[in-house]
């Protein structure tokens, strides 16, 4: 299966998933219109829309080559590295880490922690810039605090779904489900560390300041299994910031 490196080429094959046929090609406008019907509304500002590169149409995978400046990325790495948070015992342990899927270390930038590290300004900037992507519309305020992740040599994240198990979400009175994943690559990674979508035939090699946006759940809250992805083992050190946007899904038993 052909793979896409930084949107230089598009996969020429079709495949099938639990939810139907994969559509690699399409126009950006058609893709955004389709997302509003099937997943989540995405209404980027004109300057952001001009930058968007469509890596895959259905399921949608979007690349923003110059989302952040190199200076801003280096500042965020510096404050997290200087804080020592990655080596603290209270450093965040995600579900993926607990299950052994991820071998990297991460820190969730909650407001108190961001202030302590001197990163509050950068976190505010990230949220402002994400608002320009227009994910979810003005009434969709649910989301998660940014998580900064460092991969050292040999560390990886196995293939997984970002959306939560649908049956578990339904068990809650109003269960939260992730609908959009945004990855911000904070440094150039020449060897290893690619974000890989096996079913779509896409590999994205990290480049400083580059953003990647995809959609792990359908509008009804069910997982879109086609967006399963992994982080290939790092050779060079890799830093990313990731944010999830979601919604509350009413229980069908209510």
């Amino acid at each position: 299966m052909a793979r896409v490196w930084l949107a230089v080429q598009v996969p020429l094959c079709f495949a099938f998933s639990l939810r139907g046929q994969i559509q690699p090609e399409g126009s950006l406008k058609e893709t955004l219109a389709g997302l509003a019907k099937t997943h989540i509304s995405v209404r980027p500002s004109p300057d952001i829309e001009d930058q968007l590169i469509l890596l895959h149409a259905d399921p949608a995978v979007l690349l923003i080559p110059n989302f952040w400046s190199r200076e801003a990325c280096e500042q965020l790495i510096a404050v997290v590295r200087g804080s020592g948070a990655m080596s603290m015992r209270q450093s965040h342990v995600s579900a993926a880490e607990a299950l052994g899927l991820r071998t990297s270390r991460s820190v969730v930038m909650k407001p108190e922690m961001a202030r302590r590290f001197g990163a509050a300004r950068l976190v505010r900037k990230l949220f402002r810039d994400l608002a320009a992507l227009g994910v979810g519309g003005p009434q969709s305020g649910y989301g998660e605090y940014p998580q900064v992740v460092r991969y050292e040599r040999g560390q990886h994240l196995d293939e997984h779904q970002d959306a939560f198990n649908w049956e578990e979400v339904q068990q809650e009175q109003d269960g939260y489900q992730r609908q959009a994943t945004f990855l911000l690559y904070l440094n150039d990674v020449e060897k290893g560390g690619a974000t890989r979508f096996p079913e779509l035939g896409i590999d994205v090699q990290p480049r400083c300041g580059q953003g990647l946006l995809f959609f792990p759940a359908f509008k009804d809250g069910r997982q879109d299994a086609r967006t399963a992805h992994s982080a290939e083992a790092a050779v060079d050190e890799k830093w990313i910031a990731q944010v999830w946007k979601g919604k509350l899904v009413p229980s069908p038993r209510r």
Side-chain angles (χ1 to χ4, degrees), residues 19 29-43 58 179 217-221 247:
R19 293 295 295 242
K29 288 196 173 187
E30 290 172 341
T31 298
L32 295 181
L35 274 171
K37 297 176 182 177
T38 61
H39 289 71
I40 186 174
S41 175
V42 179
R43 297 178 180 177
D58 183 21
Q179 288 188 297
F218 291 95
K219 183 176 284 188
D220 64 5
K247 66 180 289 187

Side-chain angles (χ1 to χ4, degrees), residues 47-49 51-53 62-68 133 182-185 207-213:
D47 58 326
I48 290 291
E49 186 169 354
Q51 293 186 56
L52 290 178
I53 296 174
L62 303 170
L63 186 75
I64 310 99
N66 299 300
F67 188 78
W68 257 27
L133 276 173
F182 179 78
L183 303 181
L184 173 60
Y185 299 103
R207 292 290 178 261
C208 182
Q210 180 175 271
L212 186 69
L213 179 65

Side-chain angles (χ1 to χ4, degrees), residues 26-127:
S27 74
L28 179 60
K29 288 196 173 187
E30 290 172 341
T31 298
L32 295 181
L35 274 171
K37 297 176 182 177
T38 61
H39 289 71
I40 186 174
S41 175
V42 179
R43 297 178 180 177
S45 63
D47 58 326
I48 290 291
E49 186 169 354
D50 287 344
Q51 293 186 56
L52 290 178
I53 296 174
L54 184 63
L55 295 186
H56 204 278
D58 183 21
V61 182
L62 303 170
L63 186 75
I64 310 99
N66 299 300
F67 188 78
W68 257 27
S69 68
R70 182 173 295 274
E71 179 184 14
C73 293
E74 291 175 349
Q75 286 175 358
L76 185 54
I77 291 175
V79 296
V80 175
R81 193 194 297 274
S83 72
M86 292 296 182
S87 60
M88 293 179 183
R89 287 188 177 181
Q90 63 266 35
S91 177
H92 176 67
V93 178
S94 68
E97 290 164 343
L99 292 172
L101 297 176
R102 167 178 280 155
T103 58
S104 58
R105 299 300 299 273
S106 60
V107 175
V108 177
M109 304 301 285
K110 296 182 179 180
E112 180 181 347
M113 186 167 288
R115 287 193 297 270
R116 187 192 317 164
F117 296 165
R121 178 183 61 82
L122 290 167
V123 171
R124 288 195 300 270
K125 171 179 169 53
L126 180 56
F127 279 128

Side-chain angles (χ1 to χ4, degrees), residues 163-177 221 223 249 251 253:
F164 300 115
N165 180 277
W166 174 234
E167 286 71 23
E168 294 177 2
V169 171
Q170 286 184 301
Q171 290 174 6
E172 302 294 329
Q173 182 72 12
D174 284 300
Y176 170 78
Q177 181 60 291
Q223 291 176 321
V249 182
S251 169
R253 295 187 296 274

Side-chain angles (χ1 to χ4, degrees), residues 3 5 96 101-104 151 155-162 181 183 185 192-206 212 214 225-234 238 240 242:
R3 293 194 176 277
W5 292 88
L101 297 176
R102 167 178 280 155
T103 58
S104 58
Y151 292 84
Q155 292 183 331
H156 65 277
L157 175 57
D158 290 341
E159 185 178 334
H160 66 286
Q161 303 281 348
D162 277 359
T181 296
L183 303 181
Y185 299 103
T195 302
R196 172 167 292 180
F197 296 83
E199 191 167 349
L200 308 183
I202 294 175
D203 286 346
V204 179
Q205 194 67 27
L212 186 69
F214 58 95
R226 303 171 299 173
T227 62
H229 58 287
S230 64
E232 297 301 288
K238 169 186 170 183
I240 66 170
Q242 54 194 19

